[in-house]
Amino acid sequence: MYKRIKIFAFIIVIPFILCGCWDEVLVEKTGFITIVGIERAPLGNFKLTYSMPIIDPDIKSARSKVIDSEANLTRIARNNVNRMSGKNMLAGKIEFMLYSKEFAGEGRILNANSIFERDPSNSILAWVVIVDGSPRDLIHQAEENFKDKPRSSVYLNDLLERAVSTGNINETRIFNYDLISMAPGIDNTDPMIKITDKSVEVKGSALFSDQKLVGAINAQDSGLLIAMMKTLKHKKYTYNAGIPASAKEIYSEKQSAAIQLSQNSKKINVSIKNNKPVVDIYLDLSGYADEYKWDHLNDEKEVKKLNEHVQEQLRQDCQRVIGYMQSIESDPIGIGNMVRAKYNSYFKKVDWHKTYKNSKINVHVKFNLVEYGDIQ
């Protein structure tokens, strides 16, 4: 009898569990925002541009709908767009936040991102990207001129993912951008892109200091920065190395060599000497000559010469990148965090960005050419 009661109760409850969703979202009546462009406007307002894929089988020609708005708050701008679009705009599918250099230079990105922290319906996994130019122009041109490419959000995602895999930029999402912005001893880096006639180019990395964009480095230097920040493991980073001077006498058309780099290890030592931070960065790299002059790399002396030359050039380039970052007071490696953890009382007494600028930072590179092909 007890068994029968359990079965009967189970049969009664099941229909209520499987009755379906009560908060359905009709795709035809919803606009899914995938890209948001933000730049400054007069009186401290935002210029916002929204890109939404068109989900309508009757419309064949257009791929995305682009709407412009202007307001002092991103939420107000979205409400304005709701009144223009005729659809309920959802932000949970945002993939890219595109900020202009000028807007980022004013230190306004963190405030603009605050809506993502307060409203759980917003996507904190969206990319934070700096545009060298106008995000509004980029979004409109991508929709109007890039007919031979996938939808803008798909195209940008593929472009940035590829640049990350080749070690040319660091992946920056809203959640880690905001976390780093709150940390006193480390600064952000963001991918920087620029529109050309028929495509978008990944230029390199935007560098920040105390939440403001203060400079930029190209794609190759970004790879060296990533090696000093974390590692280049599992990335296909190509380093453009100048060849030794003796080789240029015969092969003047080949002024450099393409070296595919991989990283074995990274170590950073921090100490305080004479009331000044002293930092030693040790990089252990290896690689193979992917493109090189037609020469005698089967000769051990030639291999050693190239190996030593690339090692020294890597060291000089890393030291140059460090020098530039110190000059603009940008600390994306997080040396300040290391000082704060190890010498907290010292860190509290100093203005870190000023102290970082005058710190002594030395880069030590060990490089080993492991492969150079079989042609003789």
Side-chain angles (χ1 to χ4, degrees), residues 88-108:
N88 181 34
M89 309 307 300
L90 295 184
K93 297 297 182 182
I94 293 177
E95 297 178 57
F96 301 95
M97 295 295 297
L98 307 182
Y99 294 100
S100 70
K101 282 173 62 176
E102 293 76 17
F103 188 88
E106 294 172 352
R108 300 173 67 185

Side-chain angles (χ1 to χ4, degrees), residues 336-349:
N337 268 351
M338 301 173 203
V339 173
R340 183 164 65 99
K342 194 172 181 181
Y343 304 100
N344 190 255
S345 58
Y346 173 84
F347 185 85
K348 289 179 178 179
K349 290 189 296 184

Side-chain angles (χ1 to χ4, degrees), residues 166-180:
T166 53
N168 293 130
I169 58 169
N170 187 40
E171 183 176 347
T172 305
R173 309 280 182 159
I174 284 176
F175 75 93
N176 56 9
Y177 179 92
D178 289 0
L179 284 173
I180 289 175

Side-chain angles (χ1 to χ4, degrees), residues 109-124:
I109 291 181
L110 188 62
N111 287 336
N113 284 349
S114 64
I115 190 172
F116 290 90
E117 300 164 11
R118 299 174 189 276
D119 186 350
S121 67
N122 291 310
S123 173
I124 60 172

Side-chain angles (χ1 to χ4, degrees), residues 13 57 160 185 251 283 304 355:
V13 171
L160 292 172
Y251 299 98
L283 301 179
K304 185 180 178 183
T355 303

Side-chain angles (χ1 to χ4, degrees), residues 127 155-169:
W127 286 82
Y155 172 54
L156 281 178
N157 186 70
D158 291 344
L159 189 73
L160 292 172
E161 291 284 0
R162 193 176 308 113
V164 169
S165 69
T166 53
N168 293 130
I169 58 169

